[in-house]
Amino acid sequence: MSYQVKLQISPVYDLLSSLMAYSKCSKAFDLDNQWVKKVRNELDKDFMAEMDSLSLPFPLIALLIWRCPDNSNLDAVTNWLASLTVGEVFEQVSPFLLENVPNDIGTIKNDVISVFTQWYTKYYKDQELKIQKLLSQERDRFDDCLSNLGPQKTIEMFCNGLAIEEHEELKEVVLVPVYHTKPVNVVFDDYKGFLIILYPVEAPEENDLFPPDRLMRMTRALADEKRLRILKILSSGNRSFTDLVEVMELSKSNLHYHLSLLRTAGLISIHHVPFTNQDKYGIRAGVFDDVKQMLERYVFH
């Protein structure tokens, strides 16, 4: 294997993912428009206006968190950022970015400190202990999987079917467990030689009378003719997005929607070749046995 995989656990990454869930308001996230509205009702108008006026560069912010000597808590990260001059921030990120460092990197640094500090106080602080306990449980699972399965299979298991293919320029993949952007993998591939992947961690089910979220995603994904046709096509082998557009005769946006539902349900895999546009989709091995087992476990236990 040409690359290594490492795990980083920090609530600061999840704080970042909560800002992404709030700012992007994607239908792919479990935390939907209703959650955004609820949070907005709890924020003061000045901070909402500040948030609405900014377009935060999330890949750059993830890189800054990764570069921080101590990213175990928000104070450590913001104090480190505050101590850096604009030139020092440039030196921290420029060797790692594929693109040029933004000209307004000093403004970005100040915006990150301001938004992160206020967002933590007004929203995230009340979530931190519960989420940190959830995220910290990933360490033992990661160590066990890595020793038994190796880097690529570990990534595929943790990222629900995301397979990172080898590439001569790829040296390291950093896996980061987060809660707020579940069930989506957020892949930051804006860097030289490595990737940062925010992967989703599910909270334990609180009531066994209700079906698990993963089972609901699976059954919803299967309850559509177009998505079943996609699975049928993929049963004969991996296909590129372009291949699927031609065969399915769907618009690109429509196909993206259906593939997103199949991916977050864990029914299909995506074989991602870093630094290229050569991704291919396939059916995950054994996934239909998983559907059967999860359904039987929920119904009969």
Side-chain angles (χ1 to χ4, degrees), residues 107-277:
T107 301
I108 291 172
K109 180 196 86 162
N110 294 332
D111 288 341
V112 170
I113 294 171
S114 173
V115 169
F116 269 45
T117 302
Q118 294 183 76
W119 181 253
Y120 178 83
T121 301
K122 300 175 189 299
Y123 168 72
Y124 195 81
K125 180 173 66 175
D126 294 336
Q127 326 292 324
E128 184 176 21
L129 287 178
K130 179 176 68 175
I131 290 176
Q132 180 62 9
K133 182 179 179 180
L134 180 68
L135 302 182
S136 64
Q137 296 171 357
E138 292 293 282
R139 172 57 64 186
D140 289 342
R141 189 166 77 100
F142 173 81
D143 291 340
D144 181 62
C145 287
L146 187 61
S147 62
N148 288 295
L149 301 177
Q152 190 175 55
K153 289 293 185 182
T154 296
I155 295 171
E156 186 175 356
M157 178 174 288
F158 275 62
C159 299
N160 207 20
L162 175 63
I164 303 297
E165 303 293 343
E166 294 188 32
H167 189 281
E168 61 181 5
E169 295 180 18
L170 181 64
K171 305 304 179 187
E172 183 174 299
V173 176
V174 182
L175 293 182
V176 180
V178 295
Y179 172 78
H180 278 81
T181 43
K182 68 182 181 71
V184 175
N185 296 306
V186 179
V187 181
F188 294 129
D189 54 4
D190 307 70
Y191 320 125
K192 298 175 182 175
F194 74 102
L195 309 176
I196 295 177
I197 304 176
L198 310 185
Y199 73 89
V201 176
E202 301 277 0
E205 301 295 332
E206 297 180 355
N207 189 336
D208 59 8
L209 291 177
F210 293 93
D213 288 343
R214 187 180 175 209
L215 178 59
M216 291 301 299
R217 292 188 197 107
M218 286 178 165
T219 53
R220 286 170 181 157
L222 291 170
D224 182 271
E225 177 189 340
K226 293 184 180 67
R227 293 193 284 277
L228 289 174
R229 285 175 55 207
I230 291 172
L231 292 174
K232 177 71 173 176
I233 293 165
L234 294 179
S235 69
S236 62
N238 296 345
R239 299 291 191 99
S240 69
F241 183 81
T242 302
D243 291 338
L244 291 171
V245 168
E246 293 176 356
V247 176
M248 289 294 298
E249 297 181 343
L250 295 173
S251 68
K252 291 182 179 180
S253 60
N254 200 350
L255 180 60
H256 267 301
Y257 168 74
H258 290 296
L259 288 174
S260 176
L261 291 180
L262 289 168
R263 286 179 59 189
T264 54
L267 296 172
I268 63 174
S269 59
I270 178 169
H271 298 263
H272 178 64
V273 183
F275 319 117
T276 72
N277 293 313

Side-chain angles (χ1 to χ4, degrees), residues 61-78:
I61 297 171
L63 178 61
L64 286 168
I65 298 171
W66 179 74
R67 288 293 295 155
C68 182
D70 175 12
N71 60 21
S72 60
N73 61 78
L74 181 62
D75 283 345
V77 172
T78 54

